Amino acid sequence: MSTPKEGHISFASARAGQVTALRTAIERLSRDVTVRQAEGWFRGDGPIFVAIGASHAAACAPVWTLRSRGVHSWRLSAGDHPLPFPRSGHPLVAVSQSGRSSETLAVLGTVDPDLRYAVTNAAPSPIADLAGRGLSLGGIPDSYASTIGYTATVVALGMIAEAWDGGVVDPSWSLLPGHLDALESDLAGRAGELAAPFAASRAGDFVGGGPSAGSAEAGALLFRETVRLPAAAMSTRQYLHGAMESAGETVHVLFGDDRELSLARTLASANHPVILVTSADVESGPSLQVVHLPAVSPNQRAVLEAFVLQALVARTAEDAGIDIEEFVFDNADTKVGAAL
């Protein structure tokens, strides 16, 4: 077993301390977002969240929250747009846990300085330094395949989405650590059973409805980068339009309470292994395992869904004898140098 990469803690350590770290982060971020809101930060046209990788996935539920409130908002992959970024009155929120994502930094540098926001874990950092208005997660120690960095980012973006344009940070965030403790207890006793289908699978399909599409994206990425399982992520409606036809020797991880329920039954009835993560009243059955979540807001639910994914990948790696700290490739152009 190799040691964690420099500057990171182990995946197991990050998971073990995650609830405690999130409890602290929720208190701090709720206070910081409320103070910044009073200073006039979160006004006007809705934000455009620009990020890449897991940070892009983290913006899904917050964008859903903003749109549900009637505020126009988008999330964009930082590497998929020509520069300079088109002129717009919408603030651009650069999201990067390291604060060094090269693609995100490049986009941020092309917009009006008055429209530059950032959410980072590391501060100072190049992205935080370039943004006129930066919100820090607090430099929380994280694993290389992100755990607490990802979930705390969801918290920060979710609170921003709730506060934007005269909104209020949901006071029920304070209850989330209790929900996480209960979920962790449930997963600890079921991890082996839940992860078992991955041993005989050649691929994984991660599918989420609405605000949970980001969890599908985060799940596929996590499984690809840690246990090297070919995995795809799609929104539920996209998956129904032909993509599910390739089912076979595939684990299907579904997130949602709506069309995902009948999709789970359809796949399971054809003997395709399904893990359904839902707050709906559904019972497990042949080829169908159900992880029940409490009924919470979309932003909080994304954090709960991330905990399920982390438990699944940790046990899958253990069963397969894969070192979760060891990555195959090192791409030197995805990060810029750290801030001084």
Side-chain angles (χ1 to χ4, degrees):
M1 181 71 69
S2 66
T3 58
K5 288 187 178 291
E6 183 178 357
H8 296 84
I9 60 176
S10 72
F11 194 86
S13 295
R15 287 190 62 225
Q18 189 168 202
V19 175
T20 298
L22 275 177
R23 182 177 285 109
T24 300
I26 286 169
E27 293 174 357
R28 182 180 60 252
L29 288 167
S30 178
R31 180 180 62 251
D32 289 351
V33 169
T34 301
V35 168
R36 301 295 183 266
Q37 182 186 35
E39 295 173 351
W41 279 33
F42 310 125
R43 296 177 182 170
D45 293 338
I48 300 173
F49 298 97
V50 174
I52 205 155
S55 294
H56 180 257
C60 181
V63 167
W64 183 274
T65 297
L66 282 157
R67 290 176 176 175
S68 297
R69 296 181 52 226
V71 179
H72 284 297
S73 180
W74 298 266
R75 62 181 180 124
L76 302 175
S77 178
D80 296 340
H81 299 275
L83 299 180
F85 195 76
R87 291 178 60 85
S88 169
H90 292 268
L92 190 146
V93 182
V95 186
S96 171
Q97 293 163 44
S98 68
R100 298 191 295 116
S101 296
S102 57
E103 302 90 350
T104 306
L105 181 66
V107 176
L108 186 64
T110 68
V111 302
D112 188 321
D114 292 337
L115 298 177
R116 296 176 187 170
Y117 287 66
V119 174
T120 64
N121 189 20
S125 69
I127 288 176
D129 291 348
L130 187 60
R133 295 173 172 176
L135 186 70
S136 172
L137 306 183
I140 306 169
D142 194 16
S143 48
Y144 192 65
S146 184
T147 47
I148 177 63
Y150 175 77
T151 52
T153 297
V154 174
V155 173
L157 300 183
M159 288 182 177
I160 289 172
E162 292 162 0
W164 201 278
D165 198 29
V168 177
V169 174
D170 190 339
S172 70
W173 278 107
S174 63
L175 304 177
L176 183 61
H179 294 316
L180 293 170
D181 276 330
L183 178 60
E184 284 282 83
S185 296
D186 177 46
L187 293 171
R190 302 177 58 196
E193 180 184 9
L194 288 168
F198 287 97
S201 297
R202 61 183 175 86
D205 281 351
F206 293 78
V207 180
S212 293
S215 294
E217 295 166 9
L221 173 60
L222 188 61
F223 270 78
R224 292 183 73 96
E225 67 183 355
T226 56
V227 297
R228 300 150 207 167
L229 178 77
M234 294 186 201
S235 65
T236 302
R237 303 309 303 190
Q238 289 282 10
Y239 194 65
L240 294 170
H241 280 263
M244 66 182 292
E245 294 301 317
S246 65
E249 299 181 71
T250 309
V251 179
H252 306 266
V253 183
L254 312 181
F255 301 92
D257 304 334
D258 191 6
R259 185 62 172 85
E260 298 75 29
L261 308 186
S262 58
L263 173 59
R265 297 187 188 99
T266 297
L267 289 166
S269 66
N271 298 317
H272 299 302
V274 177
I275 300 168
L276 174 64
V277 184
T278 183
S279 61
D281 186 13
V282 180
E283 292 187 4
S284 297
S287 299
L288 173 61
Q289 299 186 80
V290 180
V291 177
H292 289 102
L293 301 181
V296 295
S297 72
N299 296 317
Q300 295 177 36
R301 179 171 177 143
V303 178
L304 291 162
E305 291 168 342
F307 268 57
V308 177
L309 291 167
Q310 293 168 16
L312 280 175
V313 81
R315 184 54 186 260
T316 300
E318 179 183 347
D319 291 347
I322 295 174
D323 187 347
I324 206 166
E325 312 296 343
E326 188 67 30
F327 280 46
V328 177
F329 301 107
D330 184 15
N331 296 309
D333 61 343
T334 61
K335 297 288 189 290
V336 299
L340 299 177

